[in-house]
Amino acid sequence: MLAILNKELNAFFSSTIGYLVIGVFLLFNGLFLFVFKDNFNILNAGFADINPFFYIAPWVFLFLIPAITMKSFADEFSSGTIEILKTSPLTFNQIILGKFLASLFLSIIAILPTISYILTIYALANPVGNIDFGSIIGSYIGLILLAATYTGVGVFTATLSRNQIIAFLLSVFVTFILFFGFDAVANLFENNSTIIQQFGIQEHYKSIARGVIDTRNVIYFITISFFFLFCAKKQLENTFRIKKLVVICIGCILINFISNSFYKRFDITSDKRFTLSKVTKNTISSLDKALHITVYLEGDFPSEFKRLQTETKQFLEELSSENKNLKISFKNPDNIRESLIKKGMMPSQLTVEENGKLSEAIIFPWAEINWGKKTRIVSLLPTTVLASQEEQLQKAIENLEHSFIDGIYTILQNKGKKIGVITGNGQLSDIYQYSYLSEVAKKYQLAKFTLRDLEGKEQQTLKDILNLDLAIIAKPTEKFTEKEKFILDQFITNGGKTLWMIDNVQADQDSLAATGKMMVYPRDLNLTNLLFSYGVRINNNLIKDLYAADIPVATGKVGNQTQFKNLAWYFHPLVSGNPNNAITKNVIPVRLQFANNIDTLPNNIKKTPLLVSSVLTQKIGTPTFISLQSIADEVVEKEYISGNQVFAILLEGNFNSAYKDRILPFKTPYFQKVSKANKMVIIADGDIGKNQLLKNKPFDLSRDKWTNQEFGNKDFLLNTIDYLLDDNGIINLRNKTVKIKMLDKQKAYSERTFWQFFNVFLPLILLFIFGCIFFYLRKRKYQK
């Protein structure tokens, strides 16, 4: 076998045709990946990976490997040496294996100079060296397995003809059918598409080429290679029989079928991006009939969002591999834009930077989930404006698993959970909570629940509130009675979740704007002892923070026109979220208005701060006067030394009833002294969910209508509600971290010419040097 291997390698590199074949392969890759302005150009795409190379490799191998293998037997037949080969001491297995390994080794040699591509992205990565070696190694393993399969096909077709051209064409045709044919046929038969796809190479290659080593795919490539090598052996022996062929074919199919039941997957990407969580697998496994996901990321749009399209497709393919009832399709939205907008899928206008030039692009970053008669839409982009396209893309890809699984889980539920918006104590009216509650209503059952006028209805009111899953108490302004508090307390100890948005001082920005001055004083809601029993105290002071939102202030007049300027108003802190909690991860700063700080008390409850101020804060005691004129006062930093203040906190654990050892306001069979595992969120600002009005209509809570600033209030509240009602851990998918490796765009643009020459000519130079060394050594050997 080694003699055959040595003979084939010498024969290949002794002829100029061998170098020409590999040279064309390297030139083709270099031009498409670094010079031509197409979707495969690595410098244009701006990502620190060589995925485009692995996308075009199957096409290039379609011609490279048949060109390498066409001589393996066709040349033996045409020159008459086949008889000598057959009568040699070598077995047919050794002959076939020697030819196969020689051709495969030549294919690997052709791949080796592409290491220059890795060096390029290593040097251009931001920062230098920030690349995913695990993904690259996995992709190369997939490429070698693909080469082995193509080589097996090439060796077999070379035994069918004496003519090298015919052997070449046959090999190209068979490999084309294996790689692309089955997928094309699968598109014609929707119900059986996944089964048909499993017979083709593409379905197995695209998984392993992204950095996921799956034993099912490895076994597939090995069995296909074995099958064609077996056919080559039988053809060489002149014992080729259809019956034996069918038996071997069935055997290969059975091996692959069994491998689907016993397999291992190894995600060797650096951030394990293709490893599905347990909750995702459980959700997908519950699908008992077809669920269709249509993604509207198709068409011509910027390279960054081509990447989002690719990542979305790869993630959904991972999902569909868990359950074949999940059907995926990508649709171009260009001709259906109006219908998509009517469904609530608003387009996104993007500023695109390519080659140092800015342009505008409009995309529909949406997906639609359909299950029976139920439909749900899923946004694929963050709802808030982020610092850069890279950051926007990063957050979008990180949220893919959460967005889709949350949507699928919601659509699978027969009955949504019930949320009660508590009224009767001067809470915010509906129009001021519309922005976030309208989103909540798309996912949960939403209704008002009144606590007032309880005389004679205490038992029924308590019974009714226990049917709720979550109670929202948004900025109450009137004192709670003991009976009302007791009902809320027993709702909590009986397992009900609560979201508190409490103002412990009387202060309102609208009043200040109207008069320019107002008195701020403590507000007695009679909730102190109730919250105290849960381990929390909301203070009666105000917090000023130098990191604050702007408000418009009149600064003078030009003619009859009042001039306004946006100035930082320190009574409106811009607070950051806890980066380690699913509620606040990736949420931009939240605006508060006249907020109080929260103190925690020692008990058995787990307390997680959610919203925290900057360190530059000042505590203002109440009662006090606040003047709008103070916005012009010079800042004295040494007065802002109060440090980080907590404004929102998550409580989790077994809550003790505030009435545990007290006389009950009324007797009830529902009384519980201690709750089972429960959770609540307390926010020391009643205005966090209050949206502005524009022409008497609700304005988006995520934006200020005067300053146009973006805030994370809406996302924070929606995430909070999801977290409180999430019994499956889906919200924790928001903690998934995926790092998209980016190129230094400025460096890539300024050094573009150098790297183009480097990757087009360096591989050719290396090949030339190898050829010179080979010919020199061969000449010296035979001169001796």
Side-chain angles (χ1 to χ4, degrees), residues 115-361:
I115 291 173
S116 67
Y117 308 159
I118 302 174
L119 296 175
T120 300
I121 63 168
Y122 184 93
L124 293 178
N126 187 17
V128 173
N130 184 32
I131 63 177
D132 188 345
F133 283 107
S135 176
I136 291 171
I137 291 169
S139 299
Y140 270 106
I141 291 172
L143 196 58
I144 291 171
L145 288 171
L146 178 74
T149 304
Y150 277 20
T151 302
V153 173
V155 169
F156 167 63
T157 55
T159 65
L160 299 177
S161 174
R162 295 172 177 269
N163 189 301
Q164 293 184 30
I165 301 302
I166 293 176
F168 172 82
L169 294 175
L170 281 173
S171 182
V172 171
F173 175 74
V174 174
T175 49
F176 178 84
I177 294 298
L178 282 173
F179 196 93
F180 301 100
F182 285 98
D183 270 50
V185 173
N187 291 331
L188 302 176
F189 301 95
E190 184 178 348
N191 294 333
N192 299 313
S193 60
T194 53
I195 297 174
I196 297 171
Q197 283 175 327
Q198 290 299 314
F199 284 92
I201 294 176
Q202 185 172 171
E203 186 69 14
H204 300 274
Y205 171 74
K206 64 186 178 185
S207 173
I208 205 167
R210 69 182 62 146
V212 180
I213 309 300
D214 191 319
T215 55
R216 293 171 294 182
N217 298 325
V218 174
I219 289 172
Y220 171 85
F221 285 115
I222 292 173
T223 53
I224 292 295
S225 301
F226 169 79
F227 174 76
F228 281 102
L229 292 178
F230 175 82
C231 292
K233 177 191 173 185
K234 293 302 176 184
Q235 178 66 22
L236 203 62
E237 292 175 337
N238 292 323
T239 59
F240 196 93
R241 300 291 183 272
I242 296 297
K243 186 176 180 180
K244 286 185 178 180
L245 177 67
V246 171
V247 170
I248 293 297
C249 185
I250 292 173
C252 291
I253 291 172
L254 282 175
I255 291 172
N256 281 273
F257 179 77
I258 294 170
S259 73
N260 282 315
S261 301
F262 306 97
Y263 64 90
K264 289 288 185 181
R265 295 176 79 257
F266 304 94
D267 183 354
I268 60 176
T269 58
S270 60
D271 47 22
K272 308 297 181 189
R273 71 177 61 187
F274 300 114
T275 300
L276 299 178
S277 66
K278 186 176 180 180
V279 65
T280 295
K281 292 181 178 180
N282 291 340
T283 303
I284 295 302
S285 64
S286 65
L287 287 175
D288 55 359
K289 63 179 181 180
L291 182 142
H292 296 268
I293 298 180
T294 305
V295 183
Y296 297 101
L297 280 176
E298 192 65 68
D300 185 24
F301 41 82
S303 58
E304 281 85 352
F305 296 94
K306 281 285 186 185
R307 181 57 176 264
L308 178 59
Q309 177 197 51
T310 301
E311 294 283 345
T312 303
K313 196 169 189 175
Q314 290 177 346
F315 171 72
L316 292 177
E317 285 169 352
E318 290 293 318
L319 289 188
S320 64
S321 68
E322 291 290 323
N323 192 324
K324 301 307 178 185
N325 284 320
L326 196 147
K327 311 295 181 183
I328 307 161
S329 62
F330 280 71
K331 186 178 288 188
N332 192 319
D334 287 348
N335 298 323
I336 52 172
R337 291 187 177 192
E338 189 174 338
S339 64
L340 295 182
I341 292 173
K342 287 180 179 178
K343 291 180 180 180
M345 301 184 219
M346 302 304 294
S348 295
Q349 186 169 346
L350 307 167
T351 301
V352 183
E353 181 182 354
E354 288 186 316
N355 297 331
K357 297 180 181 179
L358 296 178
S359 60
E360 298 291 328

Side-chain angles (χ1 to χ4, degrees), residues 51 109 174 224 336 373 422 450 531 542 601 613 655 657:
N51 288 343
I109 289 175
V174 174
I224 292 295
I336 52 172
K373 294 182 180 179
I422 305 301
T450 303
L531 299 180
L542 288 179
L601 309 166
S613 72
F655 296 103
S657 169

